[in-house]
Amino acid sequence: MIAAAITMDVLSALPAAIAVYDRDLRLVFASDGLLAQAGLERRDLPIGSTLRDTTRMLAYRGLYGPGDPEARLEAVLRLDRSAALRRIGRATDGRVFDLISMPMAEGGFVSLATDVTAFARGEAQALGVARQVQGVLERLHGGVAVFAQDRRIALFNAAYESLIGASPGMLRAGMTLEEIYAVLIERSEYANAERADFVRSRLQLDRSIPQLMVRERPTGQVLRTRSTPTADGGFVLEVDDLTDLKRAEDDASRRAALLDGVLATLPHGVCVFGPDKRVSMVNDAYRRLLGDAAPSVGESLDGMIERRFAAGEYPDTTIEEVRRQRWAFLGQGQADWVRRRPNGTMLVIRMARLPDGGHLSVVTDVTDLARAQEETRVQAARHQVMLANIRHGVTLFDAEGRLIAANELAAKFCGLTLADFPPGIRIEEVRQKQAARGEFGAPVATQVFVQARTKTFGADSYTRQRPDGTLLEITTDPTPEGGFVRTFTDVTQERRVMAELERAKDAAEEANRAKSRFLTTMTHELRTPLNAVIGFSDALLAQARSGTAQPGDTAEFSRAINEAGRHLLSLIDDILDVARAEGSGMATNMQSLDLPSVVAGVARVMRAQADEAGITLSVEIDDCLPRVFADEKRLRQVMINLVTNAVKFTEKDGSVHIAARIATGGLLIAVTDTGIGIATEDIDRAFEPFVQLEASLSRRYGGSGLGLHLARTLARAMGFELTLASEQGRGTTATLTIPADRLVAEETPAMTDTPCVIPHE
């Protein structure tokens, strides 16, 4: 009976569906795993049922695949059970099973079905499971809780709260593991005598390795808690109600004697240790998988560890550490881990405590699976490295608009981080996060953008400017399975260069037009004085040859030639000044000047020109003006250019007014005329060199187009600023602003004993 009980315990611990038929092909044992796989209750599959009855029930439940259940039934009944059989079966619900049939020596056979759906579906199913994990958690009968690295609970389902003995709403995200234990102690989930020791032992558990704990609640409910580490340093707790399982194990122990031969047929290695920690049973699969490292019946656990260590079975650790881990696992009740043997074989080892105080070790060869997983991991790492190092942001979505993969640059271009881009997130959720961070601008603009981009999963390309000024070119290309790839390219620099090239082209064209205007203007301006020089000199020569020269004519002609030559010299000086300003800069000789005398001198010089044009020239100077720090020659030239322009573009009977006054933060000299004015859009062009706003050869107003350009250049060379205010047909005001730092405030004009006061902002 002891051996039978052990056998039943072993079979109950195995992760497989097991059915045993006697020589009359009647059911003598059905494991809980079989009932779970078939979705049956114990009463649905009674002991003693015929092979035909049990097979028909499973066929109609779709476990043998699609098609006529009766045809499936007959196919299964035709199998030769006297020989070992192994095949892969697929249920109508998509599950995949590894099916093994092994004959027993005393007749009958053992049927073993292992669910290998996870291996068949691989990563594709894992992704689907990840999308549904939240909903699944709430539908699970078992409790699940996720703890962060700081041991604070981040996620749990209602079953977890109920199973551990907490009332609904007692637990909340952010509670520490210690606080949760405190809640359970307060609810008398643990006896007073074991409170302190229990909490201390649980808090000291190493959560970086898998842990397994079993406890019985005051209600008699038996719970199994599995602790599994996560990649981010936290851990997951899974709580299962084992109460019914324990009862089933008690019942199964009465029938375990019938199943002694089963262990010999299993593909999993099984080794059973008694309460004395000595091997009481080991099957052939265990010996085959472990080879020389397999134990013999009667060998102690410590003796087995010493022998294996001496044989080099544990090359990367010490014997003390191996012992510590084994005893630690035994203290937890159950534990799973993966170990690589020196020969390269990968084994999944499950240790579980038995009711009699012993324990069992189940070994499964997962070498092929481990290789496949490693290859998948390597390929995924390569793809991730590739995505992380390309110069484009890349995202991949499935046919339902759920994210499959994204690189960090894509998250950055979306105004998010990779943490905001978890696999499985829908594109609508991504847009909501972007909108919340102002990525699409104001709410109205966001609504317009989102509506325009709804369901644009086909081939598409558009350009969008981010709030930081980055210009993105976003391209969408469909994938064969109905999803799409979206790429983000930063074209800011490219568009900037294109804009610069366009501006350079416009500038070059404008420079070419300016050159043409300059040649046209200068040809006209230079020909006028040259014609006078040539004409009057020809007249003098003609009079000299004919002997008819008159003293009055000679003096008049010479004066005209002199005036034309001086005008020509003035034009050439202006051109040279422009060349100097655009080359090495304009030299100045700064000194303290009496501004009223400079303004008055300019007015005297220009009055004759104004009178000749029939224009009234007036001057208004504040009584108290400070001396200014300026170049007298350059300042006079600036003012003469401004007054000359004002007189030239003012019709007869008009007026030109010169005003000098103190202003906030400095001093202003304004030249205001009642002339033709300038269009607002042409004011900036008026300061360009060689620009005549009236460019035709028949224009009414002469000049080289250098006056205002030279005036501004000279003003800035002295630290002043020249601006224009004008309206077409209503005159122009040219304002020369002399800042406060160019005023000599401590000196006062001789005309007053009152010091000048300069207002400040």
Side-chain angles (χ1 to χ4, degrees):
M1 287 302 293
I2 295 177
I6 293 174
T7 301
M8 292 297 295
D9 292 337
V10 170
L11 292 177
S12 296
L14 291 177
I18 302 171
V20 180
Y21 294 87
D22 60 17
R23 65 180 62 193
D24 296 325
L25 300 183
R26 289 186 175 276
L27 183 69
V28 296
F29 173 78
S31 70
D32 291 343
L34 174 59
L35 297 175
Q37 287 183 3
L40 299 172
E41 299 292 338
R42 178 64 63 183
R43 63 177 177 272
D44 299 326
L45 206 63
I47 300 301
S49 299
T50 66
L51 177 61
R52 176 177 292 275
D53 291 339
T54 58
T55 304
R56 175 178 282 111
M57 181 177 296
L58 297 178
Y60 273 92
R61 296 189 73 83
L63 292 189
Y64 291 112
D68 182 6
E70 291 296 329
R72 292 291 181 183
L73 167 65
E74 295 303 325
V76 173
L77 293 178
R78 286 196 297 268
L79 295 175
D80 182 6
R81 300 296 182 172
S82 64
L85 301 175
R86 185 168 188 171
R87 62 191 180 89
I88 297 297
R90 186 180 298 273
T92 56
D93 61 3
R95 287 183 293 169
V96 180
F97 298 98
D98 182 11
L99 304 175
I100 298 173
S101 175
M102 294 295 295
M104 294 190 297
E106 64 274 17
F109 66 93
V110 177
S111 175
L112 172 69
T114 303
D115 188 340
V116 294
T117 308
F119 302 130
R121 292 177 179 171
E123 291 182 348
Q125 184 179 6
L127 181 60
V129 171
R131 297 192 194 106
Q132 301 172 5
V133 66
Q134 186 61 48
V136 170
L137 285 178
E138 293 304 323
R139 291 194 293 271
L140 288 177
H141 294 296
V144 178
V146 180
F147 287 79
Q149 188 176 11
D150 59 358
R151 295 198 171 193
R152 291 181 180 275
I153 192 168
L155 178 69
F156 60 94
N157 63 359
Y160 175 80
E161 196 173 33
S162 173
L163 284 173
I164 66 173
S167 297
M170 274 194 168
L171 302 188
R172 63 183 184 281
M175 291 180 69
T176 65
L177 189 58
E178 186 174 1
E179 290 172 339
I180 294 174
Y181 283 138
V183 169
L184 299 181
I185 289 173
E186 185 177 347
R187 292 180 61 81
S188 301
E189 279 295 315
Y190 307 104
N192 293 335
E194 60 182 19
R195 287 182 181 178
D197 292 339
F198 176 85
V199 172
R200 187 182 306 108
S201 64
R202 290 299 186 265
L203 294 177
Q204 291 176 351
L205 284 177
D206 184 359
R207 300 292 182 173
S208 65
I209 59 176
Q211 307 279 3
L212 190 66
M213 298 148 281
V214 178
R215 78 175 178 95
E216 184 174 349
R217 295 185 58 201
T219 60
Q221 188 178 23
V222 179
L223 302 180
R224 177 179 62 187
T225 303
R226 189 191 307 274
S227 175
T228 306
T230 58
D232 60 359
F235 58 96
V236 177
L237 292 184
E238 301 171 69
V239 181
D240 299 315
D241 186 350
L242 302 184
T243 308
D244 293 337
L245 177 60
K246 187 174 183 302
R247 293 169 184 165
E249 288 176 345
D250 293 340
D251 180 70
S253 65
R254 293 189 294 270
R255 293 176 285 109
L258 299 174
L259 307 174
D260 288 340
V262 173
L263 291 176
T265 66
L266 294 177
H268 303 281
V270 178
C271 182
V272 180
F273 292 82
D276 58 355
K277 303 300 181 285
R278 290 185 178 275
V279 178
S280 59
M281 189 278 296
V282 58
N283 70 350
D284 291 339
Y286 197 96
R287 295 188 181 96
R288 184 179 68 253
L289 292 174
L290 273 296
D292 294 339
S296 57
V297 175
E299 186 175 17
S300 69
L301 178 60
D302 284 338
M304 182 189 70
I305 292 174
E306 291 175 1
R307 181 172 57 80
R308 287 181 176 179
F309 188 82
E313 190 70 19
Y314 311 114
D316 299 325
T317 186
T318 64
I319 190 170
E320 290 78 11
E321 180 62 19
V322 175
R323 286 176 177 151
R324 186 195 69 78
Q325 290 180 355
R326 293 301 184 273
W327 289 106
F329 291 147
L330 293 176
Q332 296 161 18
Q334 184 169 332
D336 297 341
W337 74 94
V338 179
R339 182 169 74 85
R340 183 188 295 274
R341 295 196 61 218
N343 64 2
T345 304
M346 292 292 294
L347 302 177
V348 172
I349 303 170
R350 170 176 292 179
M351 293 184 67
R353 216 164 33 196
L354 298 175
D356 64 353
H359 70 279
L360 64 85
S361 173
V362 180
V363 177
T364 304
D365 187 348
V366 293
T367 306
D368 293 338
L369 175 62
R371 289 172 182 164
Q373 289 177 336
E374 177 62 18
E375 180 62 25
T376 301
R377 187 194 65 78
V378 170
Q379 290 293 340
R382 289 173 182 165
H383 292 162
Q384 192 60 39
V385 169
M386 180 184 70
L387 285 175
N389 287 277
I390 62 177
R391 297 176 59 188
H392 304 274
V394 180
T395 57
L396 175 62
F397 289 85
D398 63 14
E400 297 179 358
R402 295 184 181 276
L403 181 69
I404 298 175
N407 63 358
E408 187 171 0
L409 198 55
K412 176 183 176 182
F413 284 158
C414 289
L416 305 172
T417 65
L418 274 180
D420 301 316
F421 250 128
I425 189 172
R426 297 187 65 87
I427 189 170
E428 293 83 358
E429 297 176 62
V430 175
R431 286 175 177 164
Q432 288 173 4
K433 291 184 178 183
Q434 290 181 277
R437 300 188 184 183
E439 189 67 18
F440 305 131
V444 175
T446 297
Q447 184 178 5
V448 171
F449 175 83
V450 172
Q451 288 177 349
R453 307 312 307 168
T454 299
K455 294 185 179 179
T456 54
F457 296 165
D460 184 37
S461 182
Y462 67 97
T463 302
R464 179 174 72 83
Q465 187 168 23
R466 296 190 59 228
D468 63 1
T470 303
L471 195 63
L472 297 178
E473 184 177 78
I474 303 172
T475 304
T476 303
D477 294 298
T479 58
E481 64 274 10
F484 60 95
V485 175
R486 182 158 290 175
T487 57
F488 303 80
T489 305
D490 186 348
V491 295
T492 309
Q493 187 62 27
E494 176 186 339
R495 298 299 174 86
R496 185 180 294 121
V497 170
M498 291 175 61
E500 290 293 338
L501 289 175
E502 190 66 27
R503 283 194 291 271
K505 175 186 173 185
D506 293 342
E509 291 175 350
E510 179 58 30
N512 187 56
R513 289 192 293 270
K515 179 187 72 174
S516 299
R517 290 195 302 269
F518 167 68
L519 292 175
T520 300
T521 301
M522 293 312 298
T523 298
H524 177 79
E525 293 298 325
L526 293 174
R527 285 176 63 89
T528 300
L530 283 175
N531 284 338
V533 170
I534 293 170
F536 285 112
S537 61
D538 284 346
L540 287 175
L541 289 173
Q543 288 182 350
R545 284 196 295 268
S546 63
T548 60
Q550 298 294 325
D553 290 342
T554 301
E556 182 181 353
F557 292 168
S558 297
R559 184 166 52 254
I561 292 171
N562 183 269
E563 289 176 354
R566 290 182 180 278
H567 179 54
L568 184 60
L569 179 61
S570 173
L571 288 174
I572 294 172
D573 284 343
D574 285 348
I575 294 172
L576 289 176
D577 282 342
V578 171
R580 291 190 195 100
E582 294 180 351
S584 58
M586 186 72 68
T588 58
N589 179 22
M590 306 295 284
Q591 55 185 328
S592 177
L593 301 178
D594 179 33
L595 187 61
S597 63
V598 174
V599 175
V602 170
R604 285 195 300 273
V605 170
M606 297 304 300
R607 195 171 300 279
Q609 183 178 341
D611 291 343
E612 183 179 352
I615 295 170
T616 301
L617 177 63
S618 59
V619 179
E620 179 185 357
I621 302 175
D622 280 0
D623 293 337
C624 179
L625 288 181
R627 297 177 70 84
V628 299
F629 194 65
D631 184 324
E632 183 175 3
K633 176 183 176 183
R634 300 300 189 191
L635 181 58
R636 289 181 184 275
Q637 186 175 355
V638 170
M639 294 191 61
I640 288 174
N641 284 2
L642 296 179
V643 177
T644 299
N645 247 32
V647 171
K648 179 167 62 174
F649 293 105
T650 301
E651 302 289 349
K652 185 178 180 180
D653 296 328
S655 64
V656 174
H657 181 69
I658 305 173
R661 65 180 183 275
I662 297 290
T664 301
L667 188 148
L668 301 180
I669 301 176
V671 177
T672 304
D673 63 63
T674 60
I676 61 175
I678 305 172
T680 303
E681 63 271 16
D682 290 333
I683 288 178
D684 289 338
R685 291 185 60 234
F687 285 108
E688 296 178 12
F690 310 115
V691 169
Q692 284 280 356
L693 299 182
E694 185 185 28
S696 66
L697 290 175
S698 60
R699 66 187 192 276
R700 294 170 295 170
Y701 308 103
S704 63
L706 295 175
L708 284 176
H709 174 72
L710 272 175
R712 174 176 274 187
T713 301
L714 294 173
R716 288 180 174 175
M718 292 183 288
F720 306 162
E721 186 56 50
L722 178 61
T723 57
L724 288 181
S726 183
E727 186 178 347
Q728 200 163 18
R730 293 181 177 275
T732 302
T733 297
T735 303
L736 182 66
T737 302
I738 303 175
D741 60 358
R742 293 296 191 215
L743 304 183
V744 187
E746 65 274 10
E747 299 186 30
T748 59
M751 66 183 69
T752 177
D753 294 330
T754 303
C756 294
V757 178
I758 303 172
H760 294 278
E761 295 180 352

